[in-house]
Amino acid sequence: MGAYQRPLNLPTIQKARSKTWSWKFINSTDSTATIDTSNIQNPEKIFSKPGTYTVSLTVTGPGGSDIVTKTNYISVSNSLLSQDIGNVRLEGSASFTNGTYTLQGSGADIWNTSDSFRFAYQQLDGDCTIVARVASITNTNSWAKAGVMIRESLNANSKHAMVVATSGNGMAFQYRSKTGGSSYHTAGAAVKAPYWVKLTRSGNYFYAYQSQDGVTWTQIGSRIAVQMATSVYVGLAVTSHNNSVLNTANFNNVSVK
């Protein structure tokens, strides 16, 4: 995740009757990262990966082109907070190294009327989408879960929606539409990690998706309605479904927009 939004205010390039703007955002600390671009005059950029970014702007008009480059202009850090939710017997953890988030969590389950798990998150307002590749999950129980979640609060009985990979029961779209209410389940593909998951909030509706390659996506079930507050908690979740042991799950290609 490490999502970070910042208005870009490089020095204005003065050129009469300028017509086009070409921005490049280059992750100086990750040579394999995609070079993002924009053709908007004054863009706001959401950075989905931590790192140090070089930013360049080319302005082209009738008189030719000018370019300005700011090397290592923006630093984006891993901004996820992490904590155990609900009644967990063992303290969990979260770390980020070389593009991979590693979460460890115990907990009986994320299910019924109350949850117990490890959550790494950031707080966002309004519509959003979180994507991740669940690279691995320990088989502490066939119903151990790891995936992406949008949650109204950090209380154990909070409304939420999530898309998860389980250790032995395939992919799943699960949610609680009322605080302290029952949980609901829609089965996805009968596969195991590594697998991609995506969750989108649009107003009071949530959409769940799964993918083998992160390119072609299949929706799990239908959209579901969950009325949440404007500000929600968006992130990664893991539960061992066995409160006496820790489950270790690895996530990569995590992004939020």
Side-chain angles (χ1 to χ4, degrees), residues 92-197:
S93 64
S95 61
F96 180 81
T97 304
N98 297 326
T100 296
Y101 289 92
T102 299
L103 268 64
Q104 288 192 314
S106 60
D109 202 1
I110 307 171
W111 190 247
N112 290 325
T113 60
S114 185
D115 308 320
S116 54
F117 67 104
R118 188 72 180 187
F119 192 32
Y121 61 88
Q122 63 184 89
Q123 198 166 5
L124 294 174
D125 292 339
D127 296 346
C128 59
T129 294
I130 178 170
V131 176
R133 178 178 178 267
V134 182
S136 64
I137 176 174
T138 310
N139 187 17
T140 52
N141 184 279
S142 62
W143 279 109
K145 304 167 186 174
V148 294
M149 173 183 284
I150 299 176
R151 193 172 186 89
E152 185 175 57
S153 79
L154 299 178
N155 297 327
N157 64 350
S158 173
K159 301 174 187 176
H160 71 265
M162 63 180 182
V163 190
V164 295
T166 69
S167 292
N169 292 288
M171 311 299 292
F173 179 25
Q174 299 183 337
Y175 64 95
R176 180 183 298 121
S177 58
K178 295 181 179 180
T179 302
S182 300
S183 297
Y184 297 91
H185 169 92
T186 300
V191 297
K192 293 184 177 182
Y195 222 73
W196 293 69
V197 289

Side-chain angles (χ1 to χ4, degrees), residues 27-51:
N27 191 332
S28 307
T29 52
D30 184 356
S31 61
T32 66
T34 301
I35 299 176
D36 294 328
T37 61
S38 175
N39 295 319
I40 300 173
Q41 182 177 3
N42 297 302
E44 289 191 351
K45 172 64 179 168
I46 299 176
F47 297 92
S48 60
K49 295 186 66 176

